[in-house]
Amino acid sequence: MSTEAPKSSALFVRAQKVIPGGVNSPVRAFRAVGGTPRFIARADGAYMWDADGQRYIDYIGSWGPMILGHGHPAVLEAVTKAARDGLSFGAPTEREIELAEEILKLVPSMDQVRLVSSGTEAAMTAIRLARGATGRSRFIKFEGCYHGHADALLVKAGSGLATFGNPTSAGVPPEVVQHTMVLEYNNLGQLDEAFALHGSEIACVMIEPIAGNMNFVRASVPFVKRLRELCSQHGALLVFDEVMTGFRVALGSAQSLYAQAIPGFAPDISVFGKVIGGGMPLAAFGARRAVMEQLAPLGPVYQAGTLSGNPVATACGLATLREIQRPGFYEGLATRTQSLVSGLLGAARDAGVPMCGDSQGGMFGFFFSRASGDPLPQNYGAVMATDKERFNSFFHGILERGVYLAPALYEAGFVSAAHSAADIEATVAAARAALA
Ligand code: KE4
């Protein structure tokens, strides 16, 4: 047990002098849960050690990328060799072809893919590509889904359907988000109404198929089925943002799960990140050839990047994608993750604390319900109505016991192939103690 983190505290003070909020990405600052962010010194397998030498079982995994666990030997070997051959050329390489081929083999809805350096870049370009390919400006996103920090995507639901989103960030002029419509996740009525009103003007609909930015909320099969039908009817492109779910919830990503439930289902554009970079800056987007050929240098939709397809990042991603294809990889990961969630739910039940949870592959989420028996939240409003205070005290209670969960109620959790049954048992034991 350790409630103090003196070295992290000192580092946090020093960091805040030179970096806004002391972090390079806001969620890391622990502002949602309070307390001192742990400055991590190193990681290995399922564990991270902070600057004070405290070990944590890691359920963030860099917010998804570390599906193999930290320091996988095959990944380290590939990255080390690639680094020796050259960090960056700004010229095409064979490994970019190999990675593109590997991704396309695993995601049959795409004929071509373009590699970029972050999920934001990939999602932003997917919107531009959809707009360029359709000649339309409007697009739909859903409240509670996060697609990176491009201006047009930093939008919260407007007051009513007909109105458009309002910026969630300063520095985003209203006219930049005037074409962005924000609907309620899983709300079939709103979807039908939006297409009835604006169908011919909608370039695309962008959705997280399992919304990991609302902790863990599944798009219902009827909702996705209707979404596909409406997009096809009105000539809008369906964009699956699989930055978090891609190769995390299944080898074929979330879209393969919906294709099992909805015969012939496929999105038009898919966005990937996190796992495909294996922890290094790499993301991607792809679609059928006719759409992708709208992109520069072939077509009129511009997009570029100095480090796109970076040779070290592609080595890391390729090594990762090869490892996850090993027989039984996802069965093992899903079993481990399910045992974690059922262990947490059992601990909560024994403590008389209302909790619900869900998982798919190596991604999980749980909520402190207001009352036992409450259903899993189906949209942002329901997620934000769960017990945040309880989440925050649980987060610290289990952190002090060496378990590092996502420091925010609205974030998902991730299990890696390196997490052992013993790690899961230790996590559940820490949860029991924290809940008590
Ligand atoms: P990045 O630009 O952070 O690589 O990706 C943006 C993005 C796009 N789409 C989805 C579905 C995402 O989850 C993300 C990024 N996810 C957050 C975690 N909720 C990254 C963590 C952070 O912001 O520091």
Side-chain angles (χ1 to χ4, degrees):
M1 272 274 291
S2 127
T3 52
E4 300 308 313
K7 285 205 172 69
S8 284
S9 301
L11 286 169
F12 194 36
V13 169
R14 191 174 136 212
Q16 291 177 80
K17 292 192 178 71
V18 291
I19 301 171
V23 292
N24 286 308
S25 198
V27 72
R28 302 176 190 172
F30 274 26
R31 296 177 75 91
V33 292
T36 302
R38 299 307 192 260
F39 280 65
I40 301 303
R42 68 183 184 90
D44 189 28
Y47 313 121
M48 292 198 292
W49 285 264
D50 70 14
D52 293 286
Q54 172 74 32
R55 191 196 82 164
Y56 301 95
I57 303 174
D58 175 17
Y59 288 104
I60 293 193
S62 174
W63 300 98
M66 309 317 293
I67 194 166
L68 300 179
H70 298 282
H72 188 287
V75 172
L76 285 187
E77 186 188 337
V79 166
T80 310
K81 182 183 178 317
R84 283 205 193 91
D85 291 344
L87 296 179
S88 183
F89 312 120
T93 62
E94 181 179 2
R95 196 155 48 241
E96 289 163 85
I97 308 169
E98 290 176 301
L99 180 56
E101 288 169 344
E102 204 70 18
I103 293 169
L104 294 172
K105 180 182 79 175
L106 297 171
V107 187
S109 66
M110 307 192 301
D111 295 329
Q112 289 196 325
V113 68
R114 164 114 349 136
L115 306 179
V116 296
S117 299
S118 74
T120 291
E121 218 184 324
M124 169 180 80
T125 313
I127 297 288
R128 185 181 311 135
L129 179 57
R131 286 171 157 170
T134 60
R136 301 173 180 179
S137 301
R138 292 179 198 276
F139 73 92
I140 291 172
K141 74 173 288 287
F142 297 94
E143 192 174 33
C145 288
Y146 173 68
H147 306 292
H149 61 90
D151 281 357
L153 284 160
L154 289 180
V155 191
K156 61 176 179 282
S159 53
L161 183 63
T163 63
F164 288 91
N166 308 309
T168 54
S169 167
V172 177
E175 57 271 21
V176 167
V177 299
Q178 64 183 320
H179 303 297
T180 309
M181 300 169 71
V182 184
L183 305 185
E184 184 177 75
Y185 200 76
N186 280 322
N187 187 321
L188 278 160
Q190 278 194 13
L191 202 56
D192 282 321
E193 194 182 352
F195 272 93
L197 283 174
H198 303 289
S200 61
E201 303 152 62
I202 295 172
C204 69
V205 179
M206 182 174 274
I207 188 168
E208 286 185 61
I210 299 177
N213 288 287
M214 287 193 261
N215 193 313
F216 192 104
V217 181
R218 294 175 188 272
S220 74
V221 170
F223 186 71
V224 172
K225 188 167 184 294
R226 188 69 182 133
L227 197 44
R228 178 64 276 172
E229 286 164 0
L230 288 167
C231 284
S232 300
Q233 274 166 24
H234 294 272
L237 298 179
L238 176 54
V239 185
F240 256 31
D241 178 348
E242 298 226 42
V243 166
M244 199 183 286
T245 54
F247 310 103
R248 166 58 68 176
V249 299
L251 181 57
S253 304
Q255 56 190 270
S256 66
L257 304 174
Y258 286 97
Q260 284 163 12
I262 307 166
F265 173 82
D268 296 304
I269 299 176
S270 300
V271 182
F272 294 98
K274 296 181 191 273
V275 168
I276 68 166
M280 296 205 72
L282 195 148
F285 62 97
R288 288 284 174 237
R289 181 183 297 277
V291 173
M292 293 304 277
E293 290 184 341
Q294 301 296 313
L295 280 170
L298 296 179
V301 179
Y302 193 68
Q303 177 273 334
T306 303
L307 296 178
S308 292
N310 172 271
V312 184
T314 51
C316 192
L318 198 52
T320 301
L321 286 193
R322 284 177 174 150
E323 287 300 321
I324 63 175
Q325 294 179 65
R326 286 184 184 283
F329 180 87
Y330 283 90
E331 291 76 7
L333 190 62
T335 303
R336 198 68 88 234
T337 310
Q338 286 156 3
S339 68
L340 171 69
V341 174
S342 55
L344 292 175
L345 296 180
R349 194 171 41 250
D350 295 349
V353 172
M355 183 191 275
C356 61
D358 194 0
S359 74
Q360 186 72 44
M363 181 172 160
F364 69 93
F366 62 89
F367 304 90
F368 285 99
S369 318
R370 292 292 174 189
S372 57
D374 278 358
L376 278 164
Q378 294 299 305
N379 56 46
Y380 180 70
V383 168
M384 297 320 274
T386 60
D387 194 334
K388 180 172 183 282
E389 292 65 35
R390 203 162 230 173
F391 178 90
N392 290 355
S393 60
F394 179 69
F395 170 82
H396 283 289
I398 203 167
L399 182 74
E400 291 158 10
R401 292 172 172 81
V403 174
Y404 197 113
L405 294 174
L409 158 74
Y410 46 80
E411 297 286 0
F414 305 98
V415 174
S416 83
H419 285 73
S420 67
D423 293 322
I424 302 301
E425 281 153 35
T427 304
V428 173
R432 282 189 186 286
L435 287 161

